[in-house]
């Protein structure tokens, strides 16, 4: 039997590249309409993924990638939280 496990891949809303799910940051919208960063990848809610780089975040803001994924405007606080998270990861 093959021991190779299939790695789940997701598309970044910034650069549009397919990457491993674990390499990316998940942004979710809960049923209440609240936006959260999901480090575990297990929280309930509609999710979109973004690479942990400042350049991808800028592209996502410019091309409204998150807004298209969630089909609604994204509050500035969500983008600020993403910037802080990426700052903590040191991937600017």
């Amino acid at each position: 039997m093959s021991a190779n496990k299939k790695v789940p891949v997701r598309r970044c809303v910034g650069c549009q590249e397919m990457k491993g799910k674990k390499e990316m940051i998940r942004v979710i919208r809960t049923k209440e309409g609240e936006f959260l960063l999901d480090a575990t990848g297990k929280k309930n809610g509609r999710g979109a993924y973004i690479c942990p780089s400042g350049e991808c975040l800028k592209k996502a803001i410019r091309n409204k990638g998150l807004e298209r994924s969630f089909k609604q405007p994204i509050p500035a606080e969500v983008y600020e939280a993403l910037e802080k998270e990426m700052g903590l990861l040191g991937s600017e």
Side-chain angles (χ1 to χ4, degrees):
M1 284 282 160
S2 175
N4 294 344
K5 241 186 162 178
K6 187 177 171 190
V7 177
V9 292
R10 299 291 183 263
R11 184 179 305 273
C12 173
V13 295
C15 65
Q16 304 299 313
E17 286 183 27
M18 298 293 280
K19 295 188 179 174
K21 187 177 168 180
K22 297 272 184 206
E23 302 171 30
M24 304 174 93
I25 298 173
R26 183 171 184 238
V27 181
I28 63 165
R29 182 186 68 211
T30 62
K31 286 183 180 180
E32 294 80 34
E34 185 181 9
F35 290 94
L36 303 169
L37 297 180
D38 181 12
T40 63
K42 307 250 189 249
K43 291 182 182 174
N44 290 335
R46 170 108 175 121
Y49 291 82
I50 188 164
C51 298
S53 76
E55 191 152 322
C56 280
L57 179 60
K58 287 175 189 162
K59 284 181 185 176
I61 293 169
R62 201 174 325 119
N63 69 17
K64 300 187 186 305
L66 283 174
E67 293 182 14
R68 259 187 286 115
S69 288
F70 295 120
K71 297 178 177 88
Q72 74 178 74
I74 305 296
E77 300 88 58
V78 174
Y79 290 120
E80 289 168 13
L82 274 169
E83 283 176 359
K84 279 183 190 169
E85 177 95 358
M86 289 174 190
L88 293 174
L89 294 172
S91 301
E92 276 291 308

